[in-house]
Amino acid sequence: MNNDIMIEFRNLTKKFKDFYAVSNINLEISRGEIVGFLGPNGAGKSTTMKMLAHLLKPTEGEIWIRGNGELQKLSSHNKDYLLNNIGFLIENPAFYGNVTPRLVLKYFASLKGYPRNKINNRIEEIIEFFGMSDWIDKKIKTFSKGMRQKIGIASAIIHDPDIIVLDEPSTGLDPKARIEIRDFILKLKKIGKTIFLSSHLLYEVSEIADRVAIINKGNLIAFDTLDNLEAKAKKSIIHFELFGHPEENIKSMLKNIEEIVYPLTGISRDLNWVNYIEESKIFQIFFNGHSENQLNILEALLKNGYRIIEFSVPKAGLLENLFLEMVNPEGNLNFNNNNHSNLNNVHKELIVEEVQ
Amino acid sequence: MLFDPKQDEIIVEEFHVERQKVGLRRDLSQIRDTISFEFRRNLNRFIVILLVYLSFFILGILILESSESLGIPIPADSAEYIKGYLDAQFGFLLIISGAAFGGSIIAEDFSKQTSNLLFPKTSKVNLLIGRIISRYFLMVVCLLIYYLLICGMTIIKYEEIPLTILNSFGWALFCSFALLTFVTMLSSFMRNTSMTIISGILITLIVFEMVSMFLSMSGLLDKNDLPLLFILTYYLKIIPESLSFPEQRYNTISFQMIEGEPIEITTWLTPSEIGAFFGLFIHIGVLLFFALLIYKRRQSKGE
């Protein structure tokens, strides 16, 4: 068994009456990494987090957490022991308004068994870490959402856990506060913490996560490193422009191009497509993204007398595109003003292979 | 130091501290910490309730003094004088303080969503025990001050204090705990604190009174060996009556209607000491059991 795995979900499922909030999730989180848990609102992120915090019991499946050097199945009997080493921030942190952050942190630290004689020092460290010294002794009811969020993260780490679970830590915050929270998370990683972070803010996750798990409608649809996911997100669409005006015989021209390039695109015949955008006078060819195939297509087109004045593969490679394609497979995506559900199908295939 | 930006590689182990192990000692510590935290958190509420107690005491003095100035003599017996402070308005005072201290005990965590922060850190049992103890203690302080003030006034008037005031104080403590557990039970399924407080006051002041009035009118009570022991507010009557128990624990009034036989209405003045003890004990046990059961069930629903 891998000694680096800190948390493992095995076929984790949560059903509310007939609705599957989380369905059959398998996930491993290793020591010292940041795993981003992405999904649109209502995808099942918070439900998963709550099951990890034992606030909800799974309908099926298991959660395994490393405790005392070995992975142990989370249950009602050992939850106090296993969750002792985890700091949670579940959804928007709400605090009692008539107390100060210092009092809250002190209370939470003592609840988690932090040594009494060290709590005050620990709070001072946290104050310094989060830059809270100006308002640590003021009543929480006067605080902004960003300040409350900082206290939320501070309360999650006050007892110095090895694993930190943050559910939507930047939701509703202004850009400055988001950057601060992101920096805090990176600092935590730097001191060796394992972080499981859920968010629907793609940019936030792409900035800090080592691996990303994407969940939609309760199903885990991808789990990989950012590099691999970005590679999959590559558009793989050739854009080229011809000299002159091809509108007069565009249909026959498209048919001819299809016959030339389909054997060279590197993808199965039924997923191929070639398209022409009238407004920009650009042709598009969907291919597998390999440069060798790209070169073969260019050579074939030139050989067949096409007078190409521009030929390129625009770099997209953003997590956002992959995310949208996966969570919205029915389309509604606009790739250069064209909807192509077959593109989505290809990506779905790629993801299915990866998850399996 | 937690993090030094100049230091690229940080040895993780150096930050680790030995936390208290989970188990009974941790549970007891959590209860103690919750009590301490709740004292601080409920300080404003305590001050407000204490002011209400003081206001009621001043109101009691004004009523008794104005009666005296109108020529109505004060009771010859000091115990009867004290009863003047502990009659119906004192029951109302207990209900208000029970609702104020108990209303937020569970409902607040769900309405404000503070539960998501708290529950991964401690168990609901520990949280509930700590909160009940702390809030009950604050109620006890209010009660104690109220009784001390009564004692002060009694000494001024009679130069003595009846020892039975200790009985009364004991019953007041017992009854206030029962009221707190009743509101706690309400709080376990109510949506928010305000609703719990309002419902608690309405149920105890109106619903319970209506039920006891209906039972009195129905003529069923004289056949019942355990009268009204299922109505929580009935027990409050023992607080003033324990100063000097009446010879007969009920009053029967006969009404002659225009037609038919006269109607007898039985009104119970106070429960017996043994009945009140076991009745309150059972009430507290059942209410706390249901409060915890609903509290736990509410969590599993993921509210």
Side-chain angles (χ1 to χ4, degrees):
Chain A
M1 188 171 281
N2 189 345
N3 283 331
D4 281 341
I5 295 173
M6 300 297 278
I7 298 173
E8 187 178 352
F9 299 146
R10 296 182 188 171
N11 303 317
L12 192 65
T13 301
K14 181 67 189 179
K15 194 178 170 189
F16 295 108
K17 292 184 180 169
D18 294 331
F19 171 69
Y20 280 91
V22 172
S23 182
N24 216 24
I25 283 187
N26 289 288
L27 196 71
E28 289 173 353
I29 299 163
S30 300
R31 190 189 304 274
E33 72 171 344
I34 298 179
V35 172
F37 198 39
L38 270 176
N41 290 332
K45 302 186 298 293
S46 290
T47 305
T48 308
M49 296 292 195
K50 284 181 178 176
M51 283 192 279
L52 179 57
H54 211 264
L55 295 175
L56 288 173
K57 284 182 186 169
T59 312
E60 286 171 38
E62 297 158 357
I63 296 171
W64 291 69
I65 297 170
R66 186 166 297 282
N68 203 19
E70 59 175 326
L71 276 178
Q72 296 178 50
K73 186 181 161 188
L74 180 66
S75 70
S76 303
H77 303 294
N78 64 8
K79 73 178 174 68
D80 291 337
Y81 160 68
L82 284 181
L83 299 182
N84 195 32
N85 202 23
I86 306 182
F88 287 99
L89 174 68
I90 305 287
E91 289 181 338
N92 293 331
F95 296 95
Y96 308 108
N98 61 341
V99 290
T100 64
R102 188 187 294 278
L103 189 63
V104 168
L105 292 177
K106 197 170 182 177
Y107 177 47
F108 287 171
S110 51
L111 283 181
K112 277 295 198 179
Y114 202 83
R116 282 177 191 282
N117 56 351
K118 293 180 179 170
I119 285 180
N120 287 336
N121 286 341
R122 175 69 181 166
I123 290 172
E124 292 305 320
E125 283 179 357
I126 293 287
I127 291 169
E128 192 183 337
F129 187 67
F130 285 93
M132 297 159 69
S133 54
D134 290 343
W135 40 274
I136 190 73
D137 292 313
K138 290 182 179 167
K139 294 275 171 71
I140 293 175
K141 62 185 170 191
T142 60
F143 289 179
S144 68
K145 195 166 182 182
M147 291 154 95
R148 286 167 194 252
Q149 203 77 5
K150 277 186 194 175
I151 308 168
I153 299 177
S155 70
I157 65 165
I158 187 70
H159 60 290
D160 195 21
D162 287 330
I163 305 167
I164 299 159
V165 177
L166 304 172
D167 186 10
E168 306 271 5
S170 299
T171 301
L173 301 184
D174 59 52
K176 184 172 174 284
R178 277 185 194 174
I179 291 167
E180 282 181 357
I181 299 289
R182 196 180 63 205
D183 290 345
F184 295 147
I185 295 168
L186 287 171
K187 278 184 186 179
L188 291 171
K189 178 184 163 61
K190 204 164 187 179
I191 58 172
K193 307 295 182 189
T194 304
I195 298 163
F196 186 39
L197 162 84
S198 93
S199 180
H200 65 267
L201 301 171
L202 308 163
Y203 181 71
E204 172 187 84
V205 171
S206 65
E207 283 288 293
I208 56 177
D210 299 309
R211 288 197 293 167
V212 174
I214 300 180
I215 185 173
N216 189 39
K217 294 178 183 172
N219 294 293
L220 189 69
I221 52 179
F223 182 40
D224 210 332
T225 61
L226 274 172
D227 288 343
N228 288 345
L229 286 175
E230 285 198 2
K232 285 171 197 162
K234 227 171 154 186
K235 279 288 192 299
S236 307
I237 300 171
I238 291 168
H239 286 208
F240 71 93
E241 193 178 349
L242 295 177
F243 180 76
H245 301 282
E247 282 90 346
E248 293 154 12
N249 55 353
I250 190 71
K251 279 188 180 171
S252 60
M253 188 180 279
L254 279 173
K255 199 173 178 188
N256 184 251
I257 292 171
E258 283 172 7
E259 283 172 7
I260 297 166
V261 302
Y262 277 7
L264 307 171
T265 56
I267 52 177
S268 59
R269 194 166 184 84
D270 56 334
L271 295 174
N272 272 309
W273 55 265
V274 174
N275 186 50
Y276 176 67
I277 304 166
E278 261 187 50
E279 294 80 22
S280 56
K281 307 200 184 321
I282 295 286
F283 285 87
Q284 293 177 313
I285 301 168
F286 184 53
F287 80 119
N288 66 358
H290 297 165
S291 44
E292 195 182 335
N293 295 68
Q294 188 182 336
L295 180 64
N296 290 341
I297 290 168
L298 176 62
E299 284 175 352
L301 288 170
L302 291 171
K303 197 175 170 185
N304 282 277
Y306 285 96
R307 300 164 73 190
I308 296 169
I309 56 170
E310 191 169 326
F311 188 93
S312 65
V313 179
K315 279 191 179 177
L318 292 174
L319 189 59
E320 277 87 346
N321 292 322
L322 180 71
F323 177 72
L324 285 171
E325 285 165 31
M326 285 188 292
V327 300
N328 190 12
E330 297 307 316
N332 301 326
L333 290 169
N334 198 333
F335 296 113
N336 299 308
N337 303 320
N338 280 282
N339 290 334
H340 294 288
S341 58
N342 52 357
L343 173 62
N344 297 322
N345 291 336
V346 170
H347 282 299
K348 272 162 60 187
E349 280 185 1
L350 289 168
I351 298 311
V352 168
E353 282 171 15
E354 184 61 35
V355 171
Q356 281 168 352
Chain B
M1 191 172 169
L2 192 71
F3 176 74
D4 181 357
K6 293 172 189 168
Q7 194 177 347
D8 289 332
E9 293 299 324
I10 298 166
I11 303 163
V12 176
E13 281 72 21
E14 74 183 73
F15 300 108
H16 276 235
V17 294
E18 195 63 38
R19 287 191 294 269
Q20 187 183 23
K21 286 178 182 165
V22 293
L24 183 63
R25 282 189 67 183
R26 170 79 78 90
D27 289 341
L28 293 173
S29 297
Q30 287 185 342
I31 291 169
R32 184 184 60 186
D33 296 327
T34 303
I35 292 170
S36 164
F37 181 71
E38 289 289 311
F39 278 155
R40 302 280 291 273
R41 200 162 76 80
N42 286 284
L43 201 60
N44 289 346
R45 188 174 281 137
F46 168 72
I47 292 167
V48 171
I49 296 296
L50 187 61
L51 287 175
V52 173
Y53 269 81
L54 293 176
S55 306
F56 269 70
F57 175 72
I58 292 165
L59 194 69
I61 293 175
L62 289 175
I63 291 168
L64 291 170
E65 291 299 313
S66 57
S67 302
E68 203 177 351
S69 63
L70 288 170
I72 303 166
I74 59 166
D77 183 14
S78 59
E80 289 299 318
Y81 175 78
I82 292 171
K83 272 188 185 181
Y85 291 95
L86 299 176
D87 273 338
Q89 82 276 7
F90 183 67
F92 180 62
L93 202 53
L94 284 183
I95 289 166
I96 284 179
S97 55
F101 282 117
S104 62
I105 213 160
I106 294 174
E108 189 180 27
D109 283 327
F110 292 99
S111 63
K112 286 188 176 173
Q113 294 293 313
T114 44
S115 53
N116 287 334
L117 271 176
L118 278 171
F119 297 157
K121 295 179 176 64
T122 179
S123 77
K124 283 202 178 73
V125 179
N126 296 348
L127 209 58
L128 196 58
I129 292 172
R131 285 181 176 179
I132 287 179
I133 291 173
S134 63
R135 288 161 197 242
Y136 181 59
F137 183 82
L138 294 175
M139 277 180 85
V140 168
V141 173
C142 290
L143 275 175
L144 187 65
I145 291 170
Y146 189 76
Y147 267 83
L148 287 174
L149 290 170
I150 293 172
C151 288
M153 279 306 292
T154 311
I155 289 172
I156 292 168
K157 293 280 180 190
Y158 296 89
E159 295 178 347
E160 61 158 23
I161 302 169
L163 280 177
T164 50
I165 198 169
L166 292 174
N167 292 349
S168 173
F169 184 61
W171 286 116
L173 294 180
F174 208 179
C175 288
S176 58
F177 188 65
L179 281 170
L180 184 67
T181 57
F182 174 71
V183 182
T184 302
M185 194 276 289
L186 284 181
S187 184
S188 66
F189 61 83
M190 286 287 177
R191 286 199 175 274
N192 58 53
T193 304
S194 310
M195 280 291 290
T196 313
I197 293 173
I198 292 166
S199 309
I201 293 172
L202 287 181
I203 291 171
T204 44
L205 284 183
I206 298 174
V207 178
F208 284 169
E209 285 307 307
M210 281 176 69
V211 171
S212 53
M213 197 182 297
F214 171 76
L215 289 171
S216 296
M217 300 286 282
S218 67
L220 294 169
L221 288 182
D222 56 343
K223 296 165 190 165
N224 196 337
D225 290 331
L226 294 168
L228 296 176
L229 289 179
F230 50 91
I231 294 176
L232 193 55
T233 45
Y234 174 61
Y235 296 97
L236 301 182
K237 293 182 176 182
I238 201 172
I239 298 170
E241 298 301 335
S242 60
L243 284 157
S244 57
F245 268 102
E247 289 179 8
Q248 194 172 303
R249 290 198 295 116
Y250 57 88
N251 270 342
T252 304
I253 306 165
S254 185
F255 286 100
Q256 177 62 58
M257 308 303 282
I258 298 168
E259 288 180 5
E261 295 290 311
I263 296 172
E264 283 193 345
I265 294 176
T266 305
T267 311
W268 289 88
L269 299 174
T270 176
S272 65
E273 284 181 300
I274 192 83
F277 178 80
F278 285 108
L280 284 170
F281 197 76
I282 292 166
H283 263 90
I284 288 166
V286 171
L287 289 168
L288 280 179
F289 173 76
F290 278 108
L292 192 61
L293 203 69
I294 300 167
Y295 195 15
K296 285 199 163 188
R297 188 178 149 83
R298 200 168 174 175
Q299 179 187 359
S300 65
K301 276 184 177 176
E303 279 192 46

